[in-house]
Amino acid sequence: MNRIKQLFKNKKKDILNIYFTAGYPNLSDTKTIILELEKAGVDLIEIGMPYSDPLADGPTIQESGTHALKNGMNLPLLFEQIAEIRQHSNIPLILMGYFNQMMQYGDVAFLLKCAEVGIDGLILPDMPLYVYEEQYQTLFEKYDLTISFLITPQTGEERVRKIDALSKGFIYMVSNSSITGAKTGISEGQLNYFNRINQLQLQNPRLIGFGISDHKTYSTACQYANGAIIGSAFIKTIAQEGDLTTLIPDFINFVRNPQLETTEIV
Amino acid sequence: MYQVNERGYYGEFGGAYIPEMLFPNVEELRQCYVEIMNEPKFQKEFQDLLRDYVGRPSPLYYAKRLSAHYHTNIYLKREDLNHTGAHKINNTIGQILMAKRLGKTRIIAETGAGQHGVATATVCALMGIQCIVYMGAVDIKRQAPNVSRMKMLGAEVRPAESGSKTLKDATNEAIRDWINNPENTHYIIGSVVGPHPYPDMVARFQSVISEEMKWQLKEQTGNENPDIIIACVGGGSNAAGAYYHYMDEKEVRLVAVEAAGHGIHSGESAATSVLGTKGIIHGSRTLLMQTDDGQIIEPYSLSAGLDYPGIGPLHAHLIDSGRAEAVSITDQEALDAAFFCSRQEGIIPALETAHAFAAMDKIKYSEKDVVVINLSGRGDKDLQTYIKHLK
């Protein structure tokens, strides 16, 4: 069974999905990062394929991508790395990138390769729904790959239902109308949006991303959805001086558990 | 046949490959742009401004000395005489009226050389609407006079510091701004690029160029169709306007002139139709310059208005289907043409437009032909560059 479907079958809450850019900070860090995240108890991992023009990403992720490309990261190499990592890890893995990258690799070859190396799902934020439905849905099903579409506070109910019908795995709930890493904290308006989506009784589990950076935002997200996605805050963490084998578990601990010393005194 | 279809495609090119965060804005525009543009009240306001503010119709001028030199009949469509000095204002006038209809109170735009930024800042001042222009940090340095013009017009110029810090990055930053401000902001794209409906909307606003050409040619030559229309293509907005009403007239040859920079295979070029492959840039499926791995390549041209790594989906379709012929012109050929045109006709063309003039040395034509060159902009903004090459 697909590892993402398996995960959501067994676990309904407090799911932590961590995003990182492949090839950053160093070309060969992919393996260390995935193994450390798995060891630290992260539930699934989103591997970003670095892209020259990442429209849906904020400056932190774009910079990490620019850096990774300079390091020499590319898709064939990434697939090689993932195939090797799969010998040592069974954590659900998602590839996140832009539709142009899949097109240039060769769309069918890309999907086949994902399945071969042990990728479980894809997020392609700029692939239109009808393109997926008409051209790729059958292939995704054939290769047992999940697809997660995004919804935002501006996505209307009819479209949310359409996305729910097409998504397999989980729905990526963009927490606010914003690019990644732009805002922190969760507002009343966002809570209303989370509640509104909850009331729709969708078939797919939902993970909240964008603006999740610490325990407080993580636990709020977990309260209103099945879990949370963290990207920019994690990228900033691994950009720091220090050993990934310390930085990563420390960060996951910081997110998962309340921090006494940082609790605000009201 | 060359019009956009229901889904926003020209043949296989076009569409709207955008993240969900942009969907509501783009969808709102898609649903109502044609209806709004067809409203008699909108049309009247648009036409009145084009006449009284922009100074349209722009003349169609028979270039006697150039014609004698090339042994043919060359007409110049004088978009350089528009307010702000280029065709760009046709589109920004249209889009600011569109933004007002949509109830938007904040305008963003991207600019490369600054011409579209100036045209946007101009219409925002005209309407009293807040204006933010994204411009690559590198371009801000090399196009200082236009930065000052935008500021004088009351616009805020924000440097794009990401990637290569030029036009493509300014476009990325503008798109990000739109994602962050989905409710009150309209994004005025400056060319026939971006997600549907932008390429079609911008082409329609620019189509006034060929609309006028039809009756002007009829008056001057007795025939509303020329034999050849030549226009430079970066994203392709002036070319789209000059071709628009002739696309289905098969006997009219459409010539698209791209910037070859230091030479097509020099590694420093912007000749997208030759060097580009099919892919996605700024939400549109089109031809673009990219690596095998799908990373977008930074193009090069001495002319800041032509160094865009993609080409509008309409032009990708016109070229791919053989309807339009693509010609590449190097920096040096464009410079030579700029000086030649200046001394032959007393008109200093924009460096972009100079590429279109240089195409006369590359294409086949006969003595009886009527050739229209779309004189998309004047060369004031390029004086610094021209002065360096004064002989």
Side-chain angles (χ1 to χ4, degrees):
Chain A
M1 193 183 189
N2 177 292
R3 295 176 194 88
I4 295 171
K5 292 180 190 161
Q6 186 80 45
L7 168 70
F8 284 102
K9 205 178 149 202
N10 297 332
K11 194 171 173 182
K12 307 287 181 201
K13 48 183 269 203
D14 297 340
I15 286 168
L16 179 57
N17 177 353
I18 296 285
Y19 168 98
F20 76 96
T21 306
Y24 179 83
N26 300 297
L27 190 59
S28 54
D29 285 337
T30 318
K31 185 176 179 180
T32 316
I33 292 172
I34 289 175
L35 295 182
E36 284 301 323
L37 285 173
E38 185 177 26
K39 229 194 310 179
V42 162
D43 298 291
L44 74 163
I45 298 173
E46 210 176 299
I47 306 168
M49 309 184 273
Y51 191 51
S52 56
D53 295 74
L55 286 189
D57 293 305
T60 306
I61 291 178
Q62 169 153 23
E63 272 163 37
S64 69
T66 306
H67 200 100
L69 290 172
K70 267 188 207 144
N71 286 344
M73 183 47 79
N74 57 48
L75 269 181
L77 175 63
L78 180 57
F79 282 133
E80 245 174 65
Q81 292 182 343
I82 293 170
E84 202 277 320
I85 292 162
R86 263 293 174 237
Q87 315 286 318
H88 312 276
S89 171
N90 204 38
I91 193 165
L93 292 177
I94 295 168
L95 264 193
M96 187 273 173
Y98 290 81
F99 187 42
N100 194 44
Q101 298 175 284
M102 166 169 154
M103 272 176 74
Q104 299 317 313
Y105 192 89
D107 48 6
V108 180
F110 176 84
L111 296 175
L112 176 64
K113 193 74 185 174
C114 284
E116 261 178 27
V117 301
I119 290 293
D120 302 286
L122 289 165
I123 300 176
L124 300 159
D126 61 343
M127 180 164 72
L129 296 182
Y130 67 86
V131 169
Y132 172 73
E133 199 175 6
E134 291 166 19
Q135 295 175 41
Y136 298 113
Q137 190 168 8
T138 324
L139 283 168
F140 273 69
E141 280 161 12
K142 181 177 163 191
Y143 297 132
D144 198 18
L145 294 164
T146 69
I147 179 119
S148 294
F149 290 104
L150 278 59
I151 62 171
T152 79
Q154 274 78 32
T155 311
E157 177 173 344
E158 196 186 329
R159 190 167 164 86
V160 171
R161 295 213 180 272
K162 170 98 186 158
I163 285 169
D164 187 42
L166 287 177
S167 291
K168 294 283 154 15
F170 65 92
I171 289 175
Y172 192 133
M173 260 179 92
V174 176
S175 67
N176 55 25
S177 340
S178 168
I179 44 168
T180 59
K183 291 169 191 168
T184 50
I186 289 174
S187 71
E188 186 121 353
Q190 287 171 271
L191 295 184
N192 291 338
Y193 154 62
F194 299 158
N195 280 324
R196 181 166 59 83
I197 298 300
N198 276 332
Q199 281 158 13
L200 296 180
Q201 306 281 324
L202 304 178
Q203 59 168 11
N204 280 283
R206 286 152 336 271
L207 299 182
I208 296 176
F210 288 44
I212 311 297
S213 59
D214 52 17
H215 179 69
K216 201 173 160 198
T217 44
Y218 161 75
S219 56
T220 311
C222 289
Q223 225 178 302
Y224 290 88
N226 304 79
I229 304 168
I230 300 181
S232 301
F234 180 71
I235 300 280
K236 281 179 192 154
T237 301
I238 57 174
Q240 291 167 30
E241 287 286 319
D243 202 325
L244 290 175
T245 56
T246 330
L247 291 172
I248 293 174
D250 284 354
F251 178 76
I252 300 306
N253 180 43
F254 162 75
V255 170
R256 288 276 205 197
N257 303 305
Q259 305 295 306
L260 284 174
E261 62 270 32
T262 59
T263 306
E264 283 177 51
I265 297 157
V266 184
Chain B
M1 178 172 187
Y2 297 99
Q3 292 295 334
V4 80
N5 71 17
E6 186 76 351
R7 273 190 165 168
Y9 287 85
Y10 303 89
E12 62 177 297
F13 302 106
Y17 296 79
I18 48 170
E20 185 63 26
M21 295 84 93
L22 279 178
F23 185 82
N25 271 332
V26 172
E27 181 63 12
E28 177 187 32
L29 201 56
R30 187 189 71 80
Q31 281 179 3
C32 55
Y33 80 107
V34 174
E35 203 182 309
I36 292 177
M37 285 175 79
N38 288 338
E39 279 173 21
K41 229 184 120 193
F42 181 94
Q43 273 304 321
K44 179 166 191 322
E45 211 176 336
F46 182 52
Q47 299 301 342
D48 285 355
L49 281 170
L50 288 185
R51 186 188 63 224
D52 303 333
Y53 187 72
V54 175
R56 300 202 74 93
S58 68
L60 183 75
Y61 164 70
Y62 179 68
K64 217 178 285 173
R65 281 174 30 91
L66 269 183
S67 296
H69 175 83
Y70 285 107
H71 303 291
T72 188
N73 305 289
I74 298 175
Y75 289 81
L76 305 179
K77 181 58 176 161
R78 300 291 307 274
E79 294 300 302
D80 61 318
L81 295 178
N82 292 339
H83 179 42
T84 71
H87 71 290
K88 291 287 185 190
I89 190 99
N90 303 329
N91 169 48
T92 58
I93 292 272
Q95 284 206 49
I96 198 76
L97 295 177
M98 180 68 65
K100 275 179 68 184
R101 288 293 190 288
L102 296 171
K104 306 289 182 179
T105 54
R106 180 174 177 272
I107 295 295
I108 53 170
E110 85 295 336
T111 196
Q115 288 306 98
H116 173 59
V118 168
T120 304
T122 298
V123 298
C124 286
L126 177 68
M127 297 294 168
I129 294 181
Q130 185 193 3
C131 178
I132 292 148
V133 180
Y134 288 89
M135 189 168 183
V138 170
D139 289 336
I140 285 181
K141 275 190 198 141
R142 58 182 182 185
Q143 306 288 339
N146 270 344
V147 175
S148 304
R149 287 169 82 192
M150 286 185 268
K151 287 183 179 164
M152 181 155 180
L153 290 160
E156 181 192 340
V157 181
R158 288 192 189 163
E161 300 280 2
S162 63
S164 50
K165 303 177 190 188
T166 58
L167 177 58
K168 114 183 144 64
D169 310 286
T171 309
N172 290 339
E173 292 302 328
I175 290 174
R176 287 201 179 118
D177 181 305
W178 211 20
I179 287 175
N180 285 330
N181 298 284
E183 314 268 342
N184 66 345
T185 300
H186 176 72
Y187 176 19
I188 300 190
I189 295 185
S191 192
V192 287
V193 301
H196 177 66
Y198 275 103
D200 184 48
M201 182 171 68
V202 176
R204 283 169 187 251
F205 284 136
Q206 293 292 359
S207 70
V208 63
I209 299 172
S210 49
E211 198 183 304
E212 290 172 1
M213 274 160 59
K214 283 212 153 185
W215 62 259
Q216 289 171 324
L217 280 167
K218 177 88 180 167
E219 262 179 27
Q220 296 184 39
T221 70
N223 187 350
E224 61 179 32
N225 289 5
D227 297 288
I228 303 171
I229 300 171
I230 304 176
C232 63
V233 174
S237 67
N238 91 75
Y243 299 165
Y244 197 86
H245 291 286
Y246 292 106
M247 291 190 296
D248 289 326
E249 314 271 349
K250 286 287 164 59
E251 68 277 15
V252 180
R253 279 169 61 198
L254 307 177
V255 178
V257 187
E258 296 184 307
H262 289 150
I264 287 185
H265 301 292
S266 65
E268 291 181 295
S269 177
T272 308
S273 74
V274 183
L275 301 170
T277 51
K278 291 169 190 175
I280 292 161
I281 181 169
H282 297 136
S284 179
R285 188 183 171 107
T286 186
L287 295 171
L288 63 135
M289 291 166 59
Q290 56 183 331
T291 66
D292 293 343
D293 209 36
Q295 309 292 342
I296 297 172
I297 292 171
E298 185 56 28
Y300 165 81
S301 165
L302 183 61
S303 139
L306 298 181
D307 65 351
Y308 182 68
I311 183 174
L314 165 64
H315 296 297
H317 180 52
L318 290 172
I319 292 169
D320 196 58
S321 65
R323 176 66 187 93
E325 46 195 296
V327 172
S328 312
I329 296 297
T330 63
D331 288 352
Q332 192 55 54
E333 289 165 340
L335 283 167
D336 292 345
F339 280 92
F340 189 68
C341 172
S342 300
R343 287 160 194 196
Q344 206 74 1
E345 293 293 344
I347 298 171
I348 300 176
L351 191 47
E352 290 76 14
T353 314
H355 287 72
F357 279 97
M360 282 306 295
D361 294 320
K362 305 271 169 156
I363 62 164
K364 287 207 178 83
Y365 54 85
S366 76
E367 215 166 311
K368 283 185 180 161
D369 280 347
V370 170
V371 181
V372 177
I373 298 176
N374 195 30
L375 215 175
S376 55
R378 57 178 174 243
D380 308 30
K381 68 179 180 60
D382 298 308
L383 270 185
Q384 285 298 336
T385 308
Y386 290 155
I387 287 164
K388 270 188 228 155
H389 294 85
L390 257 182
K391 296 158 217 154

